[in-house]
Amino acid sequence: MSCLPLSDSLVRRGTPWEKLFNLAVGNIIINVLGFVPGYYVTLLTIEKLGRKVIQLQGFLMAALFLGILAGKFDEFKHNHAASVVCFTFLQFFFNFGANSTTFCYPAEVFPTKYRAFAHAPSLTALEQAPFFGSFSRAAFSVPGSPFFSPRWPVVTPTAVLAAEIAEKRAARGI
C-alpha cells in the first residue's frame, strides 16, 4: 500500500498508534471497495458464467491490473485517485476470480470425508515450508556448498548492524 494516498498523506504522520490506525482504515476502505463487491458479483454470476470462465477472467484481469500498477508505479505516487481505482479493480478481480472459485471446486468435487482428511497433510506442509525455505537459503549462501550461488550475498544481522554503525559514523565525520 505504499503507493496509495493513505500511506503518503496519513500513515507517515502522527504517533505509531495513529499510523497503525490510519493504515487499518486504508485497508478497510480497499476491502470494502474491491473485495466485498467481487465476492457478491461472484455469488450472483457463478452459475451463469461458470467457474472456469470466472477463474480465467480473474487471473487475466488481475495480471492486467498488476501490470498497470507495476508500469505506472511512479505516476501513481502523485496521482492518488488513479492508484486507488487501479488497486480497487485489482482487489475486485482477485475476489471475482481465483479467490472465490478456488474454494468452490473442492467443495463440489470432493466429499466431506476427504476434504476433512486433507487438512492434516496440508497443515503439515504449511508448517514445513519455512523450515525448508530457510534451510535452502542457508545452503545456497555457504561458499563451498554444491548449491552456492555467488549472486546471493551472505548478509548476517551482525554485518547489517556494522554497516549501519559505519554509516552513522561517516555521517558524523568520525
Side-chain angles (χ1 to χ4, degrees), residues 7 25 27 29 35 45 47 51 54 58 60 68 71 77 86 109 117 120 129 141 148 153 155 165 168 170 172-173:
S7 63
V25 168
N27 284 329
I29 290 170
F35 271 132
T45 61
E47 294 299 329
R51 286 126 185 92
I54 290 175
L60 293 175
I68 292 170
K77 287 181 181 178
C86 187
V109 173
F117 173 75
S141 300
F148 177 69
V155 179
I165 291 171
K168 288 179 183 178
R172 284 188 265 159

Side-chain angles (χ1 to χ4, degrees), residues 119-171:
H119 285 288
S122 175
L123 182 61
T124 304
L126 182 66
E127 301 257 338
Q128 299 301 318
F131 169 75
F132 287 114
S134 62
F135 172 75
S136 65
R137 177 68 172 104
F140 287 132
S141 300
V142 176
S145 90
F147 305 111
F148 177 69
S149 174
R151 295 176 295 177
W152 293 356
V154 178
V155 179
T156 62
T158 308
V160 172
L161 179 62
E164 288 177 358
I165 291 171
E167 286 177 12
K168 288 179 183 178
R169 286 183 178 167

Side-chain angles (χ1 to χ4, degrees), residues 4-172:
L4 294 180
L6 292 171
S7 63
D8 289 341
S9 61
L10 295 174
V11 174
R12 294 187 182 167
R13 285 188 259 158
T15 66
W17 173 254
E18 290 170 343
K19 292 177 186 179
L20 184 63
F21 178 78
N22 290 331
L23 187 61
V25 168
N27 284 329
I28 290 170
I29 290 170
I30 293 297
N31 281 328
V32 168
L33 290 175
F35 271 132
V36 175
Y39 168 77
Y40 283 112
V41 170
T42 302
L43 186 68
L44 296 173
T45 61
I46 197 164
E47 294 299 329
K48 293 177 184 148
L49 296 177
R51 286 126 185 92
K52 188 173 185 177
V53 171
I54 290 175
Q55 195 166 30
L56 286 176
Q57 67 82 29
F59 281 129
L60 293 175
M61 295 302 286
L64 172 72
F65 285 110
L66 281 170
I68 292 170
L69 277 172
K72 301 287 185 179
F73 186 77
D74 290 330
E75 293 175 28
F76 282 160
K77 287 181 181 178
H78 306 293
N79 188 354
H80 300 306
S83 67
V84 169
V85 168
C86 187
F87 199 73
T88 299
F89 277 122
L90 174 64
Q91 300 303 320
F92 177 83
F93 285 107
F94 275 159
N95 224 19
F96 180 51
N99 277 2
S100 298
T101 55
T102 298
F103 295 107
C104 292
Y105 278 129
E108 294 171 353
V109 173
F110 299 107
T112 305
K113 176 182 174 183
Y114 297 110
R115 281 185 287 143
F117 173 75
H119 285 288
S122 175
L123 182 61
T124 304
L126 182 66
E127 301 257 338
Q128 299 301 318
F131 169 75
F132 287 114
S134 62
F135 172 75
S136 65
R137 177 68 172 104
F140 287 132
S141 300
V142 176
S145 90
F147 305 111
F148 177 69
S149 174
R151 295 176 295 177
W152 293 356
V154 178
V155 179
T156 62
T158 308
V160 172
L161 179 62
E164 288 177 358
I165 291 171
E167 286 177 12
K168 288 179 183 178
R169 286 183 178 167
R172 284 188 265 159

